[in-house]
């Protein structure tokens, strides 16, 4: 098992890959951010065309910055 290269899942957004690479669950993100899991799933997967509002982005970015303070919202969102 060691030495295996992780395969990027094509259906994940940049935000989804960020959390997945860190082993973070949607349940944890939801508790930390206050964003419900249905909304999170829309943000983390490319299965639908979803554009979160500014308030939701701010909530998610607070969680992102706990994991990597250098990340900015434009790393994940087209704003």
């Amino acid at each position: 098992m060691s030495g295996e290269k992780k395969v990027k899942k094509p259906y994940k957004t940049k935000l989804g890959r960020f959390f997945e690479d860190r082993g973070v669950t949607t349940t944890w993100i939801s508790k930390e951010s206050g964003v419900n899991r249905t909304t999170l799933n829309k943000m983390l997967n490319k299965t639908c065309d979803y554009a979160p509002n500014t308030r939701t982005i701010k909530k998610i970015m607070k969680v992102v910055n706990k994991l990597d303070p250098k990340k900015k919202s434009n790393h994940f969102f087209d704003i």
Side-chain angles (χ1 to χ4, degrees):
M1 288 277 165
S2 64
E4 286 185 21
K5 187 175 179 181
K6 278 189 171 182
V7 176
K8 286 186 180 179
K9 296 178 181 172
Y11 58 86
K12 291 284 184 185
T13 62
K14 288 179 187 177
L15 183 65
R17 285 193 302 272
F18 173 83
F19 286 125
E20 184 178 65
D21 289 347
R22 286 153 182 82
V24 178
T25 65
T26 55
T27 302
W28 183 83
I29 302 165
S30 180
K31 287 179 183 177
E32 292 291 313
S33 67
V35 175
N36 79 40
R37 288 178 53 208
T38 302
T39 301
L40 283 172
N41 284 325
K42 291 177 184 177
M43 295 173 72
L44 302 178
N45 299 301
K46 292 181 182 179
T47 54
C48 68
D49 189 25
Y50 176 73
N53 63 36
T54 305
R55 185 173 167 209
T56 302
I57 291 172
K58 286 180 181 180
K59 289 179 178 182
I60 293 300
M61 288 309 299
K62 284 183 182 180
V63 176
V64 167
N65 290 145
K66 287 181 182 182
L67 300 171
D68 185 346
K70 295 179 182 177
K71 292 291 184 187
K72 304 290 183 203
S73 57
N74 64 351
H75 287 115
F76 306 107
F77 304 102
D78 295 329
I79 52 175

Coordinates of all heavy atoms in Angstrom, one line a residue:
M1 N 0.8 -1.2 0.0 CA 0.0 0.0 0.0 C 0.8 1.3 0.0 O 0.5 2.2 -0.6 CB -0.9 0.0 1.2 CG -2.1 -0.9 1.2 SD -3.4 -0.2 0.2 CE -4.4 -1.6 -0.1
S2 N 1.9 1.3 0.8 CA 2.7 2.5 0.8 C 3.4 2.7 -0.6 O 3.7 1.7 -1.3 CB 3.8 2.4 1.9 OG 4.7 1.4 1.6
G3 N 3.6 3.9 -1.0 CA 4.1 4.2 -2.3 C 3.1 4.4 -3.4 O 3.5 4.7 -4.5
E4 N 1.9 4.0 -3.1 CA 0.8 4.2 -4.1 C 0.5 5.7 -4.2 O 0.4 6.4 -3.3 CB -0.5 3.5 -3.7 CG -0.4 2.0 -3.8 CD -1.7 1.3 -3.5 OE1 -2.7 2.0 -3.6 OE2 -1.7 0.1 -3.1
K5 N 0.3 6.1 -5.5 CA 0.0 7.5 -5.8 C -1.5 7.7 -5.7 O -2.3 6.8 -6.1 CB 0.5 7.8 -7.2 CG 0.3 9.2 -7.5 CD 0.9 9.5 -8.9 CE 0.8 11.0 -9.2 NZ 1.3 11.3 -10.6
K6 N -1.9 8.7 -5.0 CA -3.3 9.1 -4.9 C -3.9 9.5 -6.3 O -3.2 10.3 -6.9 CB -3.6 10.2 -3.9 CG -3.6 9.7 -2.5 CD -4.1 10.9 -1.6 CE -4.4 10.4 -0.2 NZ -4.9 11.5 0.6
V7 N -5.0 9.0 -6.6 CA -5.6 9.4 -7.9 C -6.6 10.5 -7.6 O -7.5 10.3 -6.7 CB -6.3 8.2 -8.5 CG1 -7.1 8.6 -9.8 CG2 -5.3 7.1 -8.8
K8 N -6.5 11.6 -8.3 CA -7.5 12.7 -8.1 C -8.8 12.3 -8.7 O -8.9 11.7 -9.8 CB -7.0 14.0 -8.8 CG -5.9 14.6 -8.1 CD -5.6 16.0 -8.8 CE -4.4 16.6 -8.0 NZ -4.1 17.9 -8.7
K9 N -9.9 12.5 -7.9 CA -11.2 12.1 -8.4 C -11.7 13.3 -9.3 O -11.8 14.4 -8.8 CB -12.1 11.9 -7.2 CG -11.6 10.7 -6.4 CD -12.5 10.5 -5.2 CE -11.9 9.3 -4.4 NZ -12.6 9.1 -3.1
P10 N -12.1 13.0 -10.5 CA -12.5 14.0 -11.4 C -13.8 14.8 -11.0 O -14.0 15.9 -11.5 CB -12.7 13.3 -12.8 CG -12.9 11.9 -12.4 CD -12.2 11.6 -11.1
Y11 N -14.6 14.2 -10.2 CA -15.8 14.8 -9.8 C -15.7 15.7 -8.6 O -16.6 16.4 -8.2 CB -16.9 13.8 -9.5 CG -16.6 12.8 -8.4 CD1 -16.8 13.1 -7.1 CD2 -16.0 11.6 -8.7 CE1 -16.5 12.2 -6.1 CE2 -15.6 10.7 -7.7 CZ -15.9 11.0 -6.4 OH -15.5 10.2 -5.4
K12 N -14.5 15.8 -8.1 CA -14.3 16.7 -6.9 C -13.9 18.1 -7.4 O -13.1 18.3 -8.3 CB -13.2 16.2 -6.0 CG -13.5 14.9 -5.3 CD -14.4 15.2 -4.1 CE -14.7 14.0 -3.3 NZ -15.7 14.2 -2.2
T13 N -14.4 19.1 -6.7 CA -13.9 20.5 -6.9 C -12.6 20.7 -6.3 O -12.1 19.8 -5.5 CB -14.9 21.5 -6.4 OG1 -15.0 21.3 -4.9 CG2 -16.3 21.3 -7.0
K14 N -11.9 21.8 -6.5 CA -10.7 22.1 -5.8 C -10.9 22.1 -4.3 O -10.0 21.6 -3.6 CB -10.2 23.5 -6.2 CG -9.6 23.6 -7.6 CD -9.2 25.0 -7.9 CE -8.8 25.1 -9.4 NZ -8.4 26.5 -9.7
L15 N -12.0 22.6 -3.9 CA -12.3 22.6 -2.4 C -12.5 21.2 -1.9 O -12.0 20.8 -0.9 CB -13.6 23.5 -2.2 CG -14.0 23.6 -0.7 CD1 -12.9 24.4 0.1 CD2 -15.3 24.3 -0.6
G16 N -13.2 20.4 -2.7 CA -13.4 19.0 -2.3 C -12.1 18.2 -2.2 O -11.8 17.5 -1.3
R17 N -11.2 18.5 -3.2 CA -9.8 17.8 -3.1 C -9.0 18.3 -1.9 O -8.3 17.6 -1.3 CB -9.1 18.0 -4.4 CG -9.6 17.2 -5.5 CD -8.7 17.1 -6.7 NE -8.4 18.4 -7.3 CZ -9.2 19.0 -8.2 NH1 -10.2 18.4 -8.7 NH2 -8.9 20.2 -8.7
F18 N -9.1 19.6 -1.6 CA -8.4 20.2 -0.5 C -8.8 19.5 0.8 O -7.9 19.0 1.6 CB -8.7 21.7 -0.3 CG -8.2 22.3 0.9 CD1 -6.9 22.8 0.9 CD2 -9.0 22.5 2.0 CE1 -6.4 23.4 2.1 CE2 -8.5 23.1 3.2 CZ -7.2 23.6 3.2
F19 N -10.1 19.3 1.1 CA -10.5 18.6 2.3 C -10.2 17.2 2.3 O -9.8 16.6 3.2 CB -12.0 18.9 2.5 CG -12.3 20.3 3.0 CD1 -13.3 21.1 2.3 CD2 -11.7 20.8 4.2 CE1 -13.6 22.3 2.8 CE2 -12.0 22.1 4.6 CZ -13.0 22.8 3.9
E20 N -10.4 16.5 1.1 CA -10.1 15.1 1.0 C -8.7 14.8 1.2 O -8.3 13.8 1.9 CB -10.6 14.6 -0.4 CG -10.4 13.1 -0.6 CD -10.9 12.7 -2.0 OE1 -10.2 13.1 -3.0 OE2 -11.8 12.0 -2.0
D21 N -7.8 15.6 0.7 CA -6.4 15.4 0.9 C -6.0 15.5 2.4 O -5.0 14.9 2.8 CB -5.5 16.4 0.1 CG -5.6 16.2 -1.4 OD1 -6.0 15.1 -1.8 OD2 -5.1 17.1 -2.1
R22 N -6.8 16.2 3.2 CA -6.5 16.3 4.6 C -7.3 15.4 5.5 O -7.3 15.4 6.7 CB -6.8 17.8 5.0 CG -5.6 18.7 4.5 CD -6.1 20.1 4.3 NE -5.0 20.9 3.8 CZ -4.6 20.9 2.5 NH1 -5.2 20.2 1.6 NH2 -3.6 21.7 2.1
G23 N -8.1 14.5 4.8 CA -8.9 13.5 5.5 C -10.0 14.1 6.3 O -10.5 13.5 7.3
V24 N -10.6 15.2 5.9 CA -11.6 15.9 6.6 C -13.0 15.4 6.0 O -13.2 15.4 4.8 CB -11.5 17.4 6.4 CG1 -12.6 18.2 7.1 CG2 -10.1 17.9 7.0
T25 N -13.9 15.2 6.9 CA -15.3 14.7 6.6 C -16.2 15.9 6.4 O -16.0 17.0 7.0 CB -15.8 13.7 7.6 OG1 -16.0 14.4 8.8 CG2 -14.9 12.6 7.8
T26 N -17.3 15.7 5.7 CA -18.3 16.7 5.5 C -19.0 17.0 6.9 O -19.4 18.1 7.1 CB -19.4 16.3 4.5 OG1 -19.9 15.0 4.8 CG2 -18.8 16.3 3.1
T27 N -19.1 15.9 7.7 CA -19.7 16.1 9.0 C -18.9 17.1 9.9 O -19.4 18.0 10.5 CB -19.8 14.8 9.8 OG1 -20.6 13.9 9.0 CG2 -20.4 15.0 11.1
W28 N -17.6 17.0 9.8 CA -16.7 17.9 10.6 C -16.8 19.3 10.0 O -16.9 20.3 10.8 CB -15.2 17.4 10.5 CG -14.3 18.2 11.3 CD1 -14.1 18.1 12.7 CD2 -13.5 19.3 10.9 NE1 -13.2 19.1 13.1 CE2 -12.8 19.8 12.0 CE3 -13.3 19.8 9.6 CZ2 -11.9 20.9 11.8 CZ3 -12.4 20.9 9.5 CH2 -11.7 21.4 10.6
I29 N -16.7 19.4 8.7 CA -16.8 20.7 8.0 C -18.1 21.4 8.4 O -18.1 22.6 8.7 CB -16.6 20.6 6.5 CG1 -15.3 19.9 6.1 CG2 -16.8 22.0 5.9 CD1 -15.3 19.5 4.7
S30 N -19.2 20.6 8.4 CA -20.5 21.2 8.7 C -20.5 21.7 10.1 O -21.0 22.8 10.4 CB -21.6 20.1 8.5 OG -22.8 20.6 8.8
K31 N -20.0 20.9 11.1 CA -20.0 21.3 12.5 C -19.1 22.6 12.7 O -19.5 23.5 13.4 CB -19.5 20.2 13.4 CG -20.5 19.1 13.5 CD -19.9 18.0 14.4 CE -20.9 16.8 14.5 NZ -20.3 15.7 15.3
E32 N -18.0 22.6 12.0 CA -17.1 23.8 12.2 C -17.6 25.0 11.5 O -17.3 26.1 12.0 CB -15.7 23.4 11.6 CG -15.0 22.3 12.4 CD -14.5 22.8 13.8 OE1 -14.0 23.9 13.9 OE2 -14.7 22.1 14.7
S33 N -18.3 24.9 10.4 CA -18.7 26.0 9.6 C -20.1 26.5 9.8 O -20.4 27.7 9.6 CB -18.5 25.7 8.1 OG -19.4 24.7 7.7
G34 N -21.0 25.6 10.2 CA -22.4 25.9 10.3 C -23.1 25.8 9.0 O -24.3 26.2 8.8
V35 N -22.4 25.3 8.0 CA -23.1 25.0 6.6 C -23.6 23.6 6.6 O -22.9 22.7 7.0 CB -22.0 25.3 5.5 CG1 -22.6 24.9 4.1 CG2 -21.5 26.7 5.5
N36 N -24.8 23.4 6.1 CA -25.4 22.1 6.2 C -24.7 21.2 5.1 O -24.1 21.6 4.2 CB -26.9 22.1 6.1 CG -27.5 22.3 4.7 OD1 -26.9 21.8 3.7 ND2 -28.5 23.0 4.6
R37 N -24.8 19.9 5.4 CA -24.1 18.9 4.6 C -24.6 18.9 3.1 O -23.8 18.6 2.2 CB -24.2 17.5 5.2 CG -23.3 17.5 6.5 CD -23.4 16.2 7.2 NE -23.1 15.0 6.4 CZ -23.6 13.8 6.6 NH1 -24.4 13.6 7.6 NH2 -23.3 12.8 5.7
T38 N -25.8 19.1 2.9 CA -26.3 19.1 1.5 C -25.7 20.2 0.7 O -25.2 20.0 -0.4 CB -27.9 19.4 1.5 OG1 -28.5 18.3 2.2 CG2 -28.4 19.4 0.1
T39 N -25.5 21.4 1.3 CA -24.8 22.5 0.6 C -23.4 22.2 0.5 O -22.8 22.4 -0.6 CB -25.0 23.8 1.5 OG1 -26.4 24.1 1.6 CG2 -24.3 25.0 0.8
L40 N -22.8 21.6 1.5 CA -21.4 21.2 1.4 C -21.1 20.2 0.2 O -20.2 20.4 -0.6 CB -20.9 20.5 2.7 CG -20.6 21.5 3.8 CD1 -20.3 20.7 5.1 CD2 -19.4 22.4 3.5
N41 N -22.0 19.3 0.1 CA -21.8 18.3 -1.0 C -21.9 18.9 -2.4 O -21.2 18.6 -3.3 CB -22.9 17.2 -0.9 CG -22.5 16.2 0.2 OD1 -21.3 15.9 0.4 ND2 -23.5 15.7 0.9
K42 N -22.8 20.0 -2.5 CA -22.8 20.7 -3.7 C -21.5 21.5 -4.0 O -21.1 21.6 -5.1 CB -24.0 21.7 -3.7 CG -25.4 21.1 -3.7 CD -26.4 22.2 -3.6 CE -27.8 21.6 -3.5 NZ -28.8 22.6 -3.3
M43 N -20.9 21.9 -2.9 CA -19.7 22.7 -3.1 C -18.4 21.8 -3.3 O -17.5 22.2 -4.0 CB -19.4 23.5 -1.8 CG -20.4 24.6 -1.6 SD -20.2 25.4 0.0 CE -18.8 26.4 -0.3
L44 N -18.5 20.6 -2.8 CA -17.3 19.7 -2.9 C -17.3 18.8 -4.1 O -16.3 18.2 -4.4 CB -17.3 18.8 -1.6 CG -17.2 19.6 -0.3 CD1 -17.2 18.6 0.9 CD2 -16.0 20.5 -0.2
N45 N -18.4 18.6 -4.7 CA -18.5 17.8 -5.9 C -19.0 18.5 -7.1 O -19.9 19.4 -7.0 CB -19.5 16.6 -5.6 CG -19.0 15.8 -4.4 OD1 -18.0 15.2 -4.5 ND2 -19.8 15.7 -3.4
K46 N -18.5 18.1 -8.3 CA -18.9 18.8 -9.5 C -20.2 18.2 -10.1 O -20.4 18.3 -11.3 CB -17.8 18.7 -10.5 CG -16.5 19.4 -10.2 CD -15.5 19.2 -11.3 CE -14.2 19.9 -11.0 NZ -13.2 19.7 -12.1
T47 N -21.0 17.6 -9.3 CA -22.2 17.0 -9.8 C -23.3 18.0 -10.2 O -24.3 17.6 -10.9 CB -22.8 16.0 -8.8 OG1 -23.0 16.6 -7.5 CG2 -21.8 14.8 -8.6
C48 N -23.2 19.2 -9.7 CA -24.2 20.2 -10.1 C -23.5 21.6 -10.2 O -22.4 21.7 -9.7 CB -25.3 20.3 -9.1 SG -24.9 20.9 -7.5
D49 N -24.2 22.5 -10.9 CA -23.6 23.8 -11.1 C -24.1 24.7 -9.9 O -25.2 25.2 -9.9 CB -24.1 24.4 -12.4 CG -23.4 25.7 -12.8 OD1 -22.2 25.9 -12.3 OD2 -23.9 26.5 -13.5
Y50 N -23.3 24.8 -8.9 CA -23.7 25.5 -7.7 C -22.7 26.6 -7.4 O -21.5 26.4 -7.4 CB -23.7 24.5 -6.5 CG -24.0 25.2 -5.1 CD1 -25.3 25.6 -4.9 CD2 -23.0 25.4 -4.2 CE1 -25.6 26.2 -3.7 CE2 -23.3 26.1 -3.0 CZ -24.6 26.5 -2.8 OH -24.9 27.1 -1.6
A51 N -23.3 27.8 -7.1 CA -22.5 29.0 -6.8 C -22.9 29.4 -5.4 O -24.0 30.0 -5.2 CB -22.7 30.1 -7.8
P52 N -22.1 29.2 -4.4 CA -22.5 29.6 -3.0 C -22.5 31.1 -2.9 O -21.8 31.8 -3.6 CB -21.4 29.0 -2.2 CG -20.2 28.9 -3.1 CD -20.8 28.6 -4.4
N53 N -23.3 31.6 -1.9 CA -23.3 33.0 -1.7 C -22.1 33.5 -0.8 O -21.4 32.6 -0.3 CB -24.7 33.5 -1.1 CG -24.9 32.9 0.3 OD1 -24.0 32.7 1.1 ND2 -26.1 32.5 0.6
T54 N -21.9 34.7 -0.7 CA -20.8 35.3 0.0 C -20.7 34.8 1.4 O -19.6 34.5 2.0 CB -20.8 36.8 -0.1 OG1 -20.8 37.2 -1.4 CG2 -19.5 37.4 0.5
R55 N -21.8 34.8 2.1 CA -21.9 34.4 3.5 C -21.4 32.9 3.7 O -20.6 32.6 4.6 CB -23.3 34.5 4.0 CG -23.5 34.2 5.5 CD -24.9 34.6 5.9 NE -25.1 34.0 7.2 CZ -26.3 33.6 7.6 NH1 -27.4 33.7 6.9 NH2 -26.5 33.1 8.8
T56 N -21.8 32.1 2.8 CA -21.4 30.6 2.8 C -19.9 30.5 2.5 O -19.2 29.7 3.2 CB -22.2 29.8 1.8 OG1 -23.6 29.9 2.1 CG2 -21.8 28.4 1.8
I57 N -19.4 31.3 1.6 CA -18.0 31.2 1.3 C -17.2 31.7 2.5 O -16.2 31.0 2.8 CB -17.7 32.1 0.1 CG1 -18.3 31.5 -1.2 CG2 -16.2 32.3 -0.1 CD1 -18.2 32.4 -2.4
K58 N -17.6 32.7 3.2 CA -16.9 33.2 4.4 C -16.9 32.1 5.5 O -15.8 31.9 6.1 CB -17.6 34.4 4.9 CG -17.3 35.7 4.1 CD -17.9 36.9 4.7 CE -17.6 38.1 3.8 NZ -18.3 39.3 4.3
K59 N -18.0 31.4 5.6 CA -18.0 30.3 6.6 C -17.1 29.2 6.3 O -16.3 28.7 7.2 CB -19.5 29.8 6.7 CG -20.5 30.7 7.4 CD -21.8 30.0 7.4 CE -22.9 30.9 8.1 NZ -24.2 30.2 8.1
I60 N -17.0 28.8 5.0 CA -16.2 27.7 4.6 C -14.7 28.2 4.7 O -13.8 27.4 5.1 CB -16.5 27.3 3.2 CG1 -17.9 26.6 3.1 CG2 -15.4 26.4 2.6 CD1 -18.0 25.4 4.0
M61 N -14.4 29.4 4.4 CA -13.0 29.9 4.4 C -12.5 30.0 5.8 O -11.3 29.8 6.0 CB -12.9 31.2 3.7 CG -13.0 31.1 2.2 SD -12.0 29.9 1.4 CE -10.3 30.5 1.8
K62 N -13.3 30.2 6.8 CA -12.9 30.1 8.2 C -12.3 28.7 8.5 O -11.3 28.6 9.2 CB -14.0 30.5 9.2 CG -14.2 32.0 9.2 CD -15.3 32.3 10.2 CE -15.6 33.8 10.2 NZ -16.6 34.2 11.2
V63 N -13.0 27.7 8.0 CA -12.6 26.3 8.2 C -11.3 26.0 7.4 O -10.4 25.4 7.9 CB -13.7 25.3 7.9 CG1 -13.2 23.9 8.0 CG2 -14.9 25.6 8.7
V64 N -11.3 26.5 6.2 CA -10.1 26.3 5.3 C -8.9 26.9 6.0 O -7.8 26.3 6.1 CB -10.3 26.9 3.9 CG1 -9.0 27.0 3.2 CG2 -11.3 26.1 3.1
N65 N -9.0 28.1 6.6 CA -7.9 28.8 7.2 C -7.4 28.2 8.5 O -6.3 28.4 8.9 CB -8.3 30.3 7.4 CG -8.3 31.0 6.1 OD1 -9.1 31.9 5.9 ND2 -7.5 30.7 5.1
K66 N -8.3 27.4 9.1 CA -7.8 26.6 10.3 C -6.8 25.5 9.8 O -5.9 25.2 10.6 CB -9.0 25.9 11.0 CG -9.9 26.8 11.8 CD -11.0 26.1 12.4 CE -11.9 27.0 13.2 NZ -13.0 26.3 13.9
L67 N -7.1 25.0 8.6 CA -6.2 23.9 8.1 C -5.0 24.5 7.3 O -3.9 23.9 7.3 CB -7.0 23.0 7.2 CG -8.2 22.3 7.9 CD1 -9.1 21.6 6.8 CD2 -7.8 21.4 8.9
D68 N -5.2 25.6 6.7 CA -4.1 26.2 5.9 C -4.3 27.7 5.8 O -5.1 28.2 4.9 CB -4.0 25.6 4.5 CG -2.8 26.1 3.7 OD1 -2.2 27.1 4.1 OD2 -2.5 25.5 2.6
P69 N -3.7 28.5 6.7 CA -3.9 29.9 6.8 C -3.5 30.7 5.5 O -4.0 31.8 5.3 CB -3.1 30.4 8.0 CG -2.8 29.2 8.7 CD -2.8 28.0 7.8
K70 N -2.8 30.1 4.7 CA -2.3 30.8 3.4 C -3.3 30.8 2.3 O -3.2 31.5 1.3 CB -1.0 30.2 3.0 CG 0.1 30.4 3.9 CD 1.4 29.8 3.4 CE 2.5 30.0 4.5 NZ 3.8 29.3 4.0
K71 N -4.3 29.9 2.4 CA -5.3 29.8 1.3 C -6.3 31.0 1.3 O -6.7 31.4 2.4 CB -6.1 28.5 1.5 CG -5.3 27.2 1.2 CD -4.9 27.1 -0.2 CE -4.2 25.8 -0.5 NZ -3.7 25.7 -1.8
K72 N -6.6 31.4 0.1 CA -7.6 32.5 -0.1 C -8.8 32.0 -0.8 O -8.7 30.9 -1.5 CB -6.9 33.6 -0.8 CG -5.6 34.2 -0.2 CD -5.9 34.9 1.0 CE -4.6 35.5 1.6 NZ -4.7 35.8 3.0
S73 N -9.9 32.7 -0.7 CA -11.1 32.2 -1.4 C -10.9 32.1 -2.9 O -11.6 31.2 -3.5 CB -12.2 33.2 -1.1 OG -11.9 34.5 -1.5
N74 N -10.1 32.9 -3.5 CA -9.9 32.7 -5.0 C -9.2 31.4 -5.4 O -9.1 31.1 -6.5 CB -9.2 33.9 -5.6 CG -7.8 34.2 -5.1 OD1 -7.4 33.5 -4.2 ND2 -7.2 35.1 -5.7
H75 N -8.6 30.7 -4.4 CA -8.0 29.4 -4.7 C -9.2 28.4 -5.0 O -8.9 27.4 -5.7 CB -7.3 28.8 -3.5 CG -6.0 29.5 -3.3 ND1 -5.7 30.2 -2.1 CD2 -4.8 29.6 -4.0 CE1 -4.5 30.7 -2.2 NE2 -3.9 30.4 -3.3
F76 N -10.4 28.6 -4.5 CA -11.5 27.7 -4.6 C -12.7 28.2 -5.4 O -13.4 27.4 -5.9 CB -11.9 27.2 -3.2 CG -10.8 26.7 -2.4 CD1 -10.3 27.4 -1.3 CD2 -10.2 25.5 -2.6 CE1 -9.3 27.0 -0.5 CE2 -9.2 25.0 -1.9 CZ -8.7 25.7 -0.8
F77 N -12.9 29.5 -5.4 CA -14.1 30.1 -5.9 C -13.8 31.1 -7.0 O -12.8 31.9 -6.8 CB -14.9 30.7 -4.8 CG -15.2 29.8 -3.7 CD1 -14.5 29.9 -2.5 CD2 -16.2 28.8 -3.8 CE1 -14.8 29.0 -1.4 CE2 -16.5 28.0 -2.8 CZ -15.8 28.1 -1.6
D78 N -14.6 31.2 -8.0 CA -14.5 32.2 -9.0 C -15.2 33.5 -8.6 O -16.4 33.7 -8.8 CB -15.0 31.7 -10.4 CG -14.3 30.6 -10.9 OD1 -13.1 30.5 -10.7 OD2 -14.9 29.7 -11.6
I79 N -14.4 34.3 -7.9 CA -15.0 35.6 -7.4 C -14.1 36.7 -7.7 O -13.0 36.6 -8.1 CB -15.3 35.5 -5.8 CG1 -14.0 35.2 -5.1 CG2 -16.4 34.6 -5.5 CD1 -14.1 35.3 -3.6

